[in-house]
Amino acid sequence: MEAAAAFALYAAGSYAVLQRVNSEVSAPYMDEIFHVPQAQRYCAGDFATWDPKLTTPPGLYLASLALRFGQPCTLRLLRLTNWLLSLLLFWTVHSLVTTLHRRLPPMHAGAATLVLMLFPVSFFFHHMYYTDTASLLCVLLAYTLSLRGQHAAAAAAGLAALWMRQTNVVWVALIGALAAVRVLQMRGFGGAADMQLVQLGRGVVACWRPIARVLAPYAAVVTLFGAFVVANRGIVLGDRANHQAGTHVPQLMYFYAYLGAMAAPTVAYESRGLVHTVLRRPVRNLLAGGAVAAMMTIGVRWFTVEHPFLLSDNRHYPFYLWKNLFRRHWLARYLAIPAYACSMRAVHATLRAPPLWQLAWAACTAAVLVPSPLLEFRYFTVPFFFARLHMPLALSARTAAELAGYVLINAATIWMFLNRPFTWDSEPGKLQRFMW
C-alpha cells in the first residue's frame, strides 16, 4: 500500500470516527471538561485566566487558536484540531519509517505507517480534545528532524513538545543524546551496532567540539525547562495534590507487558529463538533470570502504588484490570512477574537498535513512568512508538495480524465508548463512558 493510499484510508476512517464521536458525545467528556473551557478562553483573548485543575501547559490551546481560521472554538472545532494534527502525525511517522528502515519498499512503508497510526490508544485520543496527539506529534517530529541532522529545528519541535506535556523533556534529552552518539559513529568511534561505553568515553573526549555543537540546541531546551521547574516550584501546573511524583517501580514492568502484548505478533516471532539461547547456557541464564525476578519482586512488594483514581474511576479500563486481576488475590501481582520478565527479554530481542540505544530508551522510559503514581495507558504511548519504530516493519503475516488486531480493538473500544454509556448514582442523568 503506497503512502498516499494509506493516508487516504486513514483520513477517511478517522474522520468517520470523529463525526460519530461528535454526534454521540456532544458535550465535553472526562478531561475535556477542563481543556475545552480553557481553550475557549484563549480563543476569546483571555490569556490571564487559568483553571487550577489543569496540569499541563497551554500548547494545545495555542494550536487550536492557530488552526481555528477565524471560526468559533466550539467543541467540534477543538476536536477537529486533534484530527488535523493526526494527519500531520501520519506523515511524521511515515518519515521516521522510511528513515529508520531505508530498505523498506514504498508499499511496505505505507502499510507500516497505517499500522502505527491505528495503534488503539493513540487512535482513540485523536478524536478527543486531549493533549496526547499534539504531544506525540511534537516528540516524533523532533526525532525525525534530528535524524536528518536539523538539530535546531529538532530542538524547536522539542520545545513545542514541552508546551504539550512536561515529561517530554526526557524525550528531548534522549533525542539529543542519540544525536551525539551518531556524531561519534560518523567519526569512527564504534559502529552503529557495537559501540561500547569505553569507546563512548574516548569519543566524547576526542570529539567534544562537534558533540557540543550538536547538543547545544537540546541543552538549551532542557535548561529552559529547568528554569521553568524552579520558577514553578515543581513540574505540574495545577492539581498538585493528585499528581505527586513517587517511586512507582512496577510501572516499568506494566509497560513491558503492555508493549509485548500490543506488538505481540512481531515480538513473539522475532524472539522465538530465545528458548534455544537460554538452553545453551542454562545455569548462567537461570541465575540472571533469578536475579531479575528477585529485583522485580522487591519492586512489586515495596513500590506498588494504588492511586485513588485507579481504585475509584470505573470509566477507565485499568480500573477493571486492577480490580479483576491484581486485587483478586494478593498473589496475583507476584504471579505476573514471569510475564514481565519474559516480555522485557522478548522486547529487547526484537528491537533493531544498538545496545546503547536500547539502554538509553529504557532509562528514559523509566524516568517518565516510574515517578507517575497513576497507571494509565496513555502514558505509555510515546515510549511505545519509539520502540515499535525500531522493530521490524516489513509487510508480513505479523504486521497483517497486528493491523487486524488494532482494527478489532479500535472497533470494540470505540463502540463501547459510543454505545454502552452508564450512570453513577452520585450523578443521576449524566452519562459516563468507557475509555482508555
Side-chain angles (χ1 to χ4, degrees), residues 377-411:
F377 294 140
R378 292 189 299 131
Y379 301 160
F380 296 168
T381 298
V382 174
F384 173 89
F385 268 80
F386 268 100
R388 190 64 190 88
L389 283 162
H390 285 270
M391 292 178 179
L393 288 171
L395 192 58
S396 64
R398 276 87 62 195
T399 50
E402 208 167 322
L403 175 61
Y406 287 176
V407 170
L408 289 174
I409 294 171
N410 283 326

Side-chain angles (χ1 to χ4, degrees), residues 181-428:
V181 170
R182 289 195 297 275
V183 170
L184 295 178
Q185 291 170 347
M186 287 188 293
R187 283 163 171 75
F189 288 92
D194 60 357
M195 179 176 286
Q196 304 298 319
L197 290 177
V198 174
Q199 291 174 304
L200 181 65
R202 291 173 179 169
V204 169
V205 172
C207 305
W208 70 270
R209 288 182 186 274
I211 289 175
R213 283 196 297 271
V214 166
L215 284 179
Y218 306 102
V221 173
V222 174
T223 301
L224 284 173
F225 179 77
F228 158 77
V229 171
V230 171
N232 189 54
R233 297 183 179 180
I235 293 177
V236 299
L237 291 176
D239 197 22
R240 298 192 181 195
N242 290 314
H243 294 82
Q244 297 289 333
T247 311
H248 193 182
V249 174
Q251 282 273 50
L252 192 60
M253 305 177 209
Y254 306 149
F255 170 72
Y256 273 107
Y258 170 91
L259 174 54
M262 285 299 197
T266 298
V267 171
Y269 179 81
E270 295 296 333
S271 62
R272 65 194 185 281
L274 281 179
V275 174
H276 299 291
T277 302
V278 170
L279 292 177
R280 278 201 298 268
R281 295 181 177 178
V283 176
R284 174 182 173 183
N285 286 300
L286 184 63
L287 291 173
V292 170
M295 288 187 288
M296 287 185 170
T297 301
I298 293 170
V300 169
R301 173 63 182 86
W302 298 108
F303 297 100
T304 294
V305 178
E306 292 184 322
H307 194 281
F309 290 174
L310 176 64
L311 301 178
S312 63
D313 195 341
N314 65 345
R315 297 170 294 183
H316 289 289
Y317 293 122
F319 168 89
Y320 298 95
L321 177 66
W322 201 261
K323 173 189 173 185
N324 297 321
L325 180 61
F326 294 114
R327 280 211 152 197
R328 181 68 66 182
H329 192 280
W330 69 269
L331 274 175
R333 62 187 64 183
Y334 297 100
L335 293 176
I337 287 174
Y340 300 150
C342 291
S343 295
M344 181 180 294
R345 186 66 185 90
V347 163
H348 282 282
T350 305
L351 286 170
R352 296 297 179 261
L356 192 59
W357 187 100
Q358 296 192 33
L359 178 63
W361 166 79
C364 289
T365 300
V368 169
L369 297 181
V370 169
S372 175
L374 180 60
L375 171 59
E376 192 165 347
F377 294 140
R378 292 189 299 131
Y379 301 160
F380 296 168
T381 298
V382 174
F384 173 89
F385 268 80
F386 268 100
R388 190 64 190 88
L389 283 162
H390 285 270
M391 292 178 179
L393 288 171
L395 192 58
S396 64
R398 276 87 62 195
T399 50
E402 208 167 322
L403 175 61
Y406 287 176
V407 170
L408 289 174
I409 294 171
N410 283 326
T413 52
I414 292 169
W415 186 88
M416 287 287 290
F417 178 70
L418 298 176
N419 298 295
R420 281 292 180 266
F422 60 98
T423 58
W424 288 341
D425 292 340
S426 59
E427 298 182 15

Side-chain angles (χ1 to χ4, degrees), residues 1 14 18 62 166 168 209 227 232 258 260 293 315 321 355:
M1 181 182 296
S14 180
L18 177 66
L62 295 172
Q166 297 94 313
N168 287 335
R209 288 182 186 274
N232 189 54
Y258 170 91
R315 297 170 294 183
L321 177 66

